[in-house]
């Protein structure tokens, strides 16, 4: 499912994937993994829960429990992408990476530039799947935790050693890069 599909459900866990424009390694290039953690803080401040995550150089996956009194997941993600995009652009500029910024400027669609958009940091859509049961959630959690060591990725010797992941929390009972909410304490 992409952002074009409105997800109005609340009190549900969503498996989301947000991808940088053209799969560019912007989180790594701009050194802004903490920007995603800051967005997680905003989610948690508004009673949502981050149950698992992995931050890759060019995309991230997360399991987000949307509180019954929260905005819908589409709005949460749209606001988060906007918040994160400003920080990515700022850091790219501070690093003098003007070629990258130029590519992101060129990628803005004419209809979006009329609205004032200056850079296309993320893909316009995002993947979003509701997790209605513990088995599906655990399948997605296993997938995201193993992502840094699968396929072309060689980001750690073992998946539990990758610092931008909740794997160490679930496998070793260590906090890791970000303090998450334990899905095992959630009512199913």
């Amino acid at each position: 499912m992409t952002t074009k599909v409105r997800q109005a459900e609340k009190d549900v866990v969503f498996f989301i994937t947000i991808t940088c424009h053209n799969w560019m390694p912007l989180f790594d290039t701009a050194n802004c993994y903490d920007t995603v953690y800051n967005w997680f803080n905003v989610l948690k401040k508004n009673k949502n829960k981050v149950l698992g995550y992995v931050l890759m150089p060019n995309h991230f996956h997360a399991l987000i429990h949307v509180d019954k009194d929260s905005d819908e997941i589409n709005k949460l993600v749209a606001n988060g992408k906007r918040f994160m995009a400003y920080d990515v652009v700022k850091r790219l500029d501070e690093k003098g990476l003007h070629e990258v910024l130029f590519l992101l400027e060129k990628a803005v669609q004419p209809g979006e530039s009329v609205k004032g958009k200056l850079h296309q940091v993320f893909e316009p859509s995002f993947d979003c799947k509701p997790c209605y049961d513990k088995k599906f959630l655990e399948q997605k959690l296993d997938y995201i935790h193993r992502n840094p060591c699968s396929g072309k990725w060689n980001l750690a010797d073992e998946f539990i050693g990758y610092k931008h992941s909740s794997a160490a929390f679930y496998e070793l009972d260590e906090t890791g890069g970000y303090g998450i909410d334990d899905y095992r304490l959630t009512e199913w």
Side-chain angles (χ1 to χ4, degrees):
M1 269 178 232
T2 65
T3 192
K4 303 296 181 202
V5 176
R6 183 171 169 243
Q7 293 288 341
E9 292 179 274
K10 297 189 182 176
D11 199 23
V12 171
V13 175
F14 289 97
F15 169 69
I16 65 164
T17 303
I18 296 176
T19 306
C20 295
H21 172 68
N22 275 352
W23 292 87
M24 295 171 71
L26 297 175
F27 293 123
D28 195 52
T29 303
N31 190 25
C32 60
Y33 293 96
D34 62 312
T35 299
V36 181
Y37 296 137
N38 289 338
W39 179 57
F40 288 169
N41 287 338
V42 171
L43 291 173
K44 290 173 81 169
K45 182 180 173 190
N46 291 300
K47 299 182 182 178
N48 301 294
K49 295 178 182 173
V50 179
L51 304 178
Y53 70 93
V54 67
L55 311 183
M56 305 292 282
N58 59 7
H59 70 286
F60 71 88
H61 303 288
L63 289 161
I64 309 292
H65 176 264
V66 177
D67 187 76
K68 63 181 176 50
D69 296 323
S70 175
D71 288 328
E72 297 171 1
I73 190 70
N74 296 67
K75 185 172 182 180
L76 294 172
V77 169
N79 289 340
K81 286 168 67 175
R82 186 171 30 263
F83 163 80
M84 291 182 282
Y86 287 124
D87 201 40
V88 169
V89 167
K90 176 183 166 215
R91 292 186 192 196
L92 290 170
D93 186 50
E94 289 171 352
K95 289 179 156 227
L97 297 171
H98 303 291
E99 312 82 28
V100 176
L101 288 169
F102 178 71
L103 291 172
L104 299 177
E105 286 173 23
K106 280 181 35 178
V108 175
Q109 298 298 311
E112 294 294 312
S113 64
V114 169
K115 298 177 191 174
K117 186 173 188 175
L118 302 175
H119 301 90
Q120 186 67 50
V121 174
F122 297 106
E123 289 295 315
S125 62
F126 70 99
D127 289 328
C128 182
K129 294 177 177 56
C131 301
Y132 294 118
D133 61 50
K134 189 175 176 181
K135 182 178 177 184
F136 187 70
L137 183 145
E138 288 173 341
Q139 174 192 17
K140 293 302 178 192
L141 195 59
D142 186 58
Y143 169 77
I144 66 178
H145 286 164
R146 295 181 185 282
N147 204 203
C149 298
S150 65
K152 70 175 185 173
W153 299 109
N154 242 343
L155 301 175
D157 292 333
E158 294 181 72
F159 75 96
I160 57 173
Y162 184 62
K163 68 179 182 175
H164 297 295
S165 168
S166 56
F169 174 83
Y170 286 113
E171 300 292 327
L172 304 173
D173 205 25
E174 296 176 5
T175 302
Y178 184 80
I180 60 163
D181 297 290
D182 192 335
Y183 81 91
R184 297 169 293 195
L185 302 177
T186 302
E187 292 288 324
W188 291 96

